[in-house]
Amino acid sequence: GPLGEPFAGAVPLDDVRGSRPPAPRGRHDDDPLVVNHTSGTTGVPKLVVHTTRTIVHRLARFEAVRWPVIGVRRDDVVANASSYAHGRTFCWTASVFCLAPRKIVLLGDPRSAETVLARHRPTTLEALPSAYVRWQPLASRPDNPFRDVRLFVSTYDAMHPPAIRAMLHASRRRRPLWMQGWGQTETGPLTFRFLTRRALTRSPDARDLGRPVPGRTRLRVVDPVTFAPLPRGRAGLVLARTAARCAGYVGEQDRWEAKNTGPWWNTGDLGVITRGGAVRLLDREVDAVPGLSCLEVEDLVEDRLPEVVECVVLGTPGRPPIPVLVTSGPLDPAAWRRAVADLPPMAEPHVLAWDDVPRTATGKVRRLDLLTRLVGTAETHGTGRWT
């Protein structure tokens, strides 16, 4: 039928019927291709500009290869429960359809896993860290939907050992593998780490994020004040060098320039490069607390107290560190005291429901918002210069 009233200057549809379609007009590889927002754990998300060269040539093209073990196979059922507005999922989408697996399953809400994945049992699964955490009770069931998974993938945040352990043991495969990537929207993946059931029996350091991607990324640790390079084993700011670095921030190019140190990108993370070359993450610089690693304490609490689904340690000047706990049941005060007896002194814990914790679209905790709700200030020990 008719599309509407004729409009002055418009070309009528009948005038182009039967014509040869015009050739596609490609943009230059260094022109902006896509704008994705960051997670926004420390405030309003930044808008990250990537080009064809940085996000397709340097990232998606690398993923669109049938690598042994970690690559997508033609008989795979590939499932993803992610935030589809993020750069990570842009790369995943660009590559997985090229590899043409048997089936692709998209979960818009992690809570649909019980019904959707039961009907389409995945063989490879990528999900947000917060989704894996919430799936732990589901994974413990004999009829769990993760029985056929051979490869689990996580990005965005470091994973706590209990969630990884639950998922790997939910699989009925002989040797299921966990692949954890660490990076940022601005850089793409910087390191990879692989875990097996056997590795998890040795209580691995969850802060160990693996080694830089060979031939693609380089990392160095520098003094946060002088920016002088630090030797392996010393804690400092982690800088990254990668050809996949974004082209800028929309409307905040000065903020991008402040994190750009020649060929090196300031991740804003505090960490250590071990003697073996692996990266050990301590904290975001803005969240750091003198004398302890908040992330390490969170791992230990979650490992020692099974009823703690999530632990978040917050720091503000003039107060002891504040633990915030999301639990699956009542918290035994005596068990809490035993669990933290050998840890640095902390305030009494705040126990909250999952939905009472402010979160980003990817399920990350908005730490500054949570701190403000609890103590009335967003002031931290860190400078926050590189958020």
Side-chain angles (χ1 to χ4, degrees):
L3 298 176
E5 295 298 322
F7 188 82
V11 178
L13 187 59
D14 288 338
D15 287 359
V16 296
R17 293 187 193 278
S19 301
R20 177 178 296 177
R25 294 179 60 185
R27 63 178 57 235
H28 192 278
D29 287 350
D30 294 318
D31 286 344
L33 174 70
V34 63
V35 176
N36 293 109
H37 61 76
T38 60
S39 294
T41 55
T42 55
V44 177
K46 300 175 287 293
L47 296 177
V48 179
V49 181
H50 270 289
T51 67
T52 301
R53 191 181 307 279
T54 59
I55 202 167
V56 175
H57 295 180
R58 304 295 187 184
L59 297 177
R61 182 174 289 174
F62 177 74
E63 197 169 340
V65 175
R66 295 192 190 280
W67 301 106
V69 183
I70 63 172
V72 173
R73 303 170 182 171
R74 293 194 183 279
D75 61 348
D76 271 326
V77 176
V78 180
N80 197 321
S82 189
S83 172
Y84 301 100
H86 275 71
R88 163 65 207 133
T89 320
F90 176 93
C91 292
W92 179 85
T93 305
S95 61
V96 75
F97 286 92
C98 294
L99 294 169
R102 179 161 60 93
K103 190 182 294 186
I104 297 173
V105 183
L106 303 178
L107 279 71
D109 186 335
R111 289 173 294 186
S112 65
E114 183 174 3
T115 54
V116 175
L117 297 187
R119 294 197 305 270
H120 311 282
R121 293 213 303 258
T123 58
T124 75
L125 175 62
E126 179 169 341
L128 301 169
S130 58
Y132 285 124
V133 169
R134 300 197 76 172
W135 287 343
Q136 283 178 249
L138 181 60
S140 66
R141 300 183 190 174
D143 63 340
N144 78 78
F146 313 112
R147 300 192 298 277
D148 294 341
V149 178
R150 64 175 182 85
L151 176 68
F152 295 93
V153 180
S154 66
T155 57
Y156 292 96
D157 264 342
M159 288 290 304
H160 297 298
I164 302 176
R165 193 175 292 120
M167 301 309 295
L168 285 176
H169 283 286
S171 174
R172 298 294 179 264
R173 296 289 186 121
R174 287 183 60 192
R175 297 184 184 87
L177 185 66
W178 189 284
M179 183 172 74
Q180 176 179 321
W182 170 69
Q184 298 183 335
T185 306
E186 294 92 331
T187 64
L190 296 172
T191 66
F192 283 110
R193 182 194 193 199
F194 298 93
L195 287 167
T196 61
R197 291 191 192 115
R198 180 178 296 181
L200 284 165
T201 63
R202 300 193 296 267
S203 295
D205 181 358
R207 298 298 116 205
D208 178 348
L209 299 180
R211 290 170 174 76
V213 183
R216 304 183 72 84
T217 61
R218 291 171 56 193
L219 299 175
R220 72 186 338 179
V221 172
V222 301
D223 184 282
V225 177
T226 67
F227 273 64
L230 296 175
R232 290 188 175 188
R234 289 274 302 278
L237 272 174
V238 180
L239 305 187
R241 185 168 182 169
T242 170
R245 179 179 54 184
C246 69
Y249 293 144
V250 175
E252 295 184 290
Q253 199 65 9
D254 55 337
R255 193 174 182 182
W256 183 88
E257 293 289 353
K259 298 168 71 171
N260 188 33
T261 309
W264 295 92
W265 174 259
N266 190 335
T267 67
D269 287 325
L270 297 176
V272 172
I273 296 181
T274 67
R275 292 188 178 184
V279 179
R280 188 169 185 275
L281 186 64
L282 299 176
D283 284 305
R284 289 288 292 171
E285 189 274 340
V286 66
D287 300 322
V289 174
L292 63 80
S293 163
C294 296
L295 299 179
E296 183 176 19
V297 171
E298 292 165 8
D299 284 337
L300 291 171
V301 168
E302 291 184 20
D303 234 0
R304 294 173 180 181
L305 295 170
E307 65 270 31
V308 174
V309 176
E310 185 174 43
C311 174
V312 181
V313 177
L314 307 172
T316 188
R319 297 173 182 261
I322 305 165
V324 181
L325 310 178
V326 175
T327 64
S328 58
L331 179 69
D332 180 1
W336 167 258
R337 288 192 294 270
R338 287 193 299 271
V340 300
D342 61 337
L343 301 180
M346 293 187 287
E348 288 298 305
H350 292 260
V351 180
L352 301 178
W354 180 278
D355 292 335
D356 290 338
V357 177
R359 299 179 185 277
T360 69
T362 58
K364 291 185 181 184
V365 175
R366 300 179 68 97
R367 290 175 178 258
L368 299 185
D369 284 2
L370 182 56
L371 181 62
T372 303
R373 291 187 189 186
L374 295 178
V375 300
T377 178
E379 184 182 3
T380 65
H381 295 278
T383 67
R385 289 171 55 197
W386 304 290
T387 57

